[in-house]
Amino acid sequence: MDLANKNIEYCKGVGAKRADILRKELGVKSALDMLYQFPYKYIDRSRFYYIHEIDDDETYVQIIGHITEWHTVGIGATQRLSATFTDGRHTIELVWFKGVKYVKLERNVQYLLFGKPSRFNHQYNFVHPELTLMSKVQPEMTQGLEPHYNTTEGMKRAGINSKTMRTIIVQLIPELQQQGLVDTIGMDMVQRYHLMRLSEAICNIHFPKDTPTMQKARERLKFEELFYIQLQILRQMKRREQNQGFLMPIVGKAFHSFYQQHLPFPLTNAQKRVIREIQADIKSGKQMNRLLQGDVGSGKTIVALLTALLAVDNGYQACIMAPTEILANQHYQSISELLNDSDDIKIALLTGSTTAKQRQPIHEQLQSGEINILIGTHALIEDHVRFANLGLCIIDEQHRFGVAQRAKLWNKNLRPPHVLVMTATPIPRTLAMTVYGDLQVSIIDELPPGRKPVQTLHYSTLRRTTINQFIEQQIGIGRQVYVVYPLIKENEKIELQDLQNGYNQLCETFPHYRISMIHGQMRAKDKDEQMQRFVSGETQILVATTVIEVGVNVPNASVMIIENAERFGLSQLHQLRGRVGRGAEQSYCILLTKVELSKDTRKRMDIMVATNDGFRIAEADLQLRGPGDLEGTQQSGLPFELRIASLSADGPLLELARQAAMEILDADPLLEDMHNRIYKQRLDYLRIAAGNWGEIS
Ligand code: ADP
Ligand code: MG
C-alpha cells in the first residue's frame, strides 16, 4: 500500500492509542503525513568535543572523560549533587537538582557525556547531562546527525517523545525507498532550480548522511512549501483580477482645483509615484487592492485625500476609516484644513461618539450622495450606514481591522469598492509577499524635505534625575513631552498602576507644569478631552499608554520618553518614536530600561539608537522575533503554518518560489493545462488558507 494511503495506526510502533494522539496533536493520519513531520534540529553525534571548545549554550555536545570527585550540597528539597568532570585537560561542573539519590557515579571509568552546556556565574556547567559508560556506548549513538522532533504536551503525556517519533519514522524509511514518492514538483523545475527529488529529500531530512546533504534536503522541502503558498496566493490574485472594478478614468475638477490651489507643499517624488500607481489601478477596470506602506511621517494622508478626490471626480463617494476616534478626528481635522472650505467637496465625520441627532443628517446625506467623503472609525461600516455610490475605501492602519469588518465594507455597493490599505508599519518584503502577497504594494520611501532625524538615546532608570532635568529644560524652551507606558492586556491591572504611579511622580516632580493622561480604559470623551488639552498646548506633558501609538500628530511635542522600553517590540518602539520629529525642532526619543537586560533586549535598544529607518527595523524585528509576533500581523497571524521554511531566513528562496509560481500562472492562470495538473491537485490537497482579500464579498 502506498504511504499516503497507509493508516498511521498500522505503522510499526504506533497502534490505536498512539495513532489517536498523533491524529489529534499533529494531524497525522497516514504514513506520509508522518514523514512530513520534519525534525526541528539535529544533534551532531559525529564528533567529540573538548571542554575548552565549549563557547555557547545552544549546541549539544558529547565529551569523553571521567569524574574526579562529587559531593552533595544543601539538604532536603534544595539538595543538589555536584560533580567534577574532566577530559584530561580541563574540568567542568556537572549538576543534578532532581533524583540526586539515583545518580550513580564511578571514579576511574570512561564516560560519554552528552548534553547542552548552560551558563552560570560566567562559567559553563552541565545540568542533568546524559552519562553513559564508554563500555556500553552503541556505535550508532555517536554517528551522524541525530534528528529531534517537536512534541506537544499531549504527546508527552501519552509517552510519545522525540525518540518515539524517530523510531516510528526510521521504520518507514525502507518502504519509502522501495516505493518512492510521486514528486510534487515537475521535473523541469527540479532541474532548473537544482532541487533534490522528493523521496531523496524526505529520507535525508530525517537521517542525513552529512550536513551538506541535510541542507540540500531542507532547501528542497522549503522550496516546495514556499512554492505552494505562493501558487495559492497568486492564483487568488489572478482570479480576482477577473473581477470588475469601478472605472475611474477622469482626473477632474475636485482633484485639479485642490492640487493647484490648496496643496500646501510640493509632493515628494515618492508621493507622486504612488498617486500614479493608484490612478493606473482605478482606471484599469479591475478592482484595486493596494497596500500603501510609508514610514510614520512620510505623508500618507495627502495621498489618501488625493485618491479620494479622484473618486469624487468620477462620481463616487469615498470613505476613510481609522482605527481610533482620536485618529479619525485628526484625519477629519487635517483634511478639513487641507480642503480649506472648498465648497464643492462635502466631508463628514462619523465615529462612536457621533450622537443620534448628528447622525441623522449624515445618514441622509450619504444616501442622497451629498456627502463626498466620509471619515470615521468602525462606526462607518455599521449596517445602517448606507451610501449612494461608494467607490473607494481607504483603510488607515489596516491591521486593526478584521476580515469580517472588511467584508461589511465591501458590501456597501453592488461591486466591491477599490481598496487602499495604508500602513505605517513597514513590512519586510518576505512577509509582504506572503501575508499581503495578493495585494499590490506601493511604498513611500522618502520623507518630506527638511525633517531632522529623531535623536534616540537609551538610559537606565538609574539616570532618572538626568532625564527629569532634560524634561525641565525642554519644556523650558517651549516643547511638549510624551511619557509612554506599556500596556498589554494580560497585565492590565499592574500596568495601569504603573501608569498612575508615573503620573503621580511627574506631578510631584513638575508641580509647575500641567499634565494630561490617557489610557485605553478611559471613556472616549475623556480621552479626547485630555488629548485636546495636550494638542492645544494647555498641558506640557502627556502620560499615556500605547493608545497614542498610531497617527497622533502634535508637531510641538518633540520629546518622547518610553518607560519600560524593554517590554516593547521593535516595531512598536519605532511607531511610538514616530510621534515626535514632526515639527521643525530637534526631537528626542529616550528609551528607559532597567539596568540588567537580556541579550535580545539590548540588541533591540541598540538598533533603535542606531537607525531611524523603519524597513531596517522591521527586518531586524523579523530576525529577532520571527513573523508570528511581528506588529501588523499579530491579530491576523500568518494565515498558514510554515513547517520548515522561515520568512526571516529564507528570503532568497521565497523570491525564487514566487517567481516559479508566477511563471506557471502567467501561462496558465487557472491551472487547466495537463502539465500543471500535479500543482492543481496538490493545492486542493493542501488547502492553504492564504490571505483572502479577494474572497470576501
Ligand atoms: P503619515 O504618513 O505618518 O500619515 P502624515 O500624512 O500625517 O504622515 O504627514 C506628516 C506631516 O508631513 C504632516 O504634517 C504633513 O502635512 C506633512 N507633509 C506630508 N507631505 C509633505 C510634503 N510633500 N512636503 C512637506 N510636508 C509634507
Ligand atoms: Mg497617518
Side-chain angles (χ1 to χ4, degrees), residues 107 159 201-202 260 312 378:
R107 245 180 280 268
I202 298 262
Q260 278 144 26
V312 174
H378 304 73

Side-chain angles (χ1 to χ4, degrees), residues 40-44 49 53-62 114-119 124-126 148 599-600 603 623-624:
Y40 71 96
K41 70 169 180 197
Y42 304 85
I43 289 173
D44 187 353
Y49 276 71
E53 289 178 293
I54 294 173
D55 66 351
D56 68 50
D57 48 13
E58 319 255 294
T59 324
Y60 280 82
V61 295
Q62 50 186 2
F114 178 72
K116 200 162 85 156
S118 31
R119 255 175 101 85
Y124 288 107
N125 64 15
F126 284 100
H148 284 244
K599 216 164 72 183
D600 272 7
K603 256 192 215 153
Q623 305 293 340
L624 280 171

Side-chain angles (χ1 to χ4, degrees), residues 391-406:
L392 168 74
C393 298
I394 298 172
I395 305 177
D396 198 8
E397 307 293 348
Q398 76 68 231
H399 60 274
R400 313 258 162 149
F401 286 100
V403 168
Q405 289 165 322
R406 288 198 301 259

Side-chain angles (χ1 to χ4, degrees), residues 265-268 271 294-302 448-449 451 553 582:
F265 36 67
L267 296 183
T268 61
Q271 286 169 322
D295 215 338
V296 280
S298 60
K300 294 184 292 294
T301 314
I302 195 99
R451 292 274 167 83
N553 192 11
R582 307 192 140 234

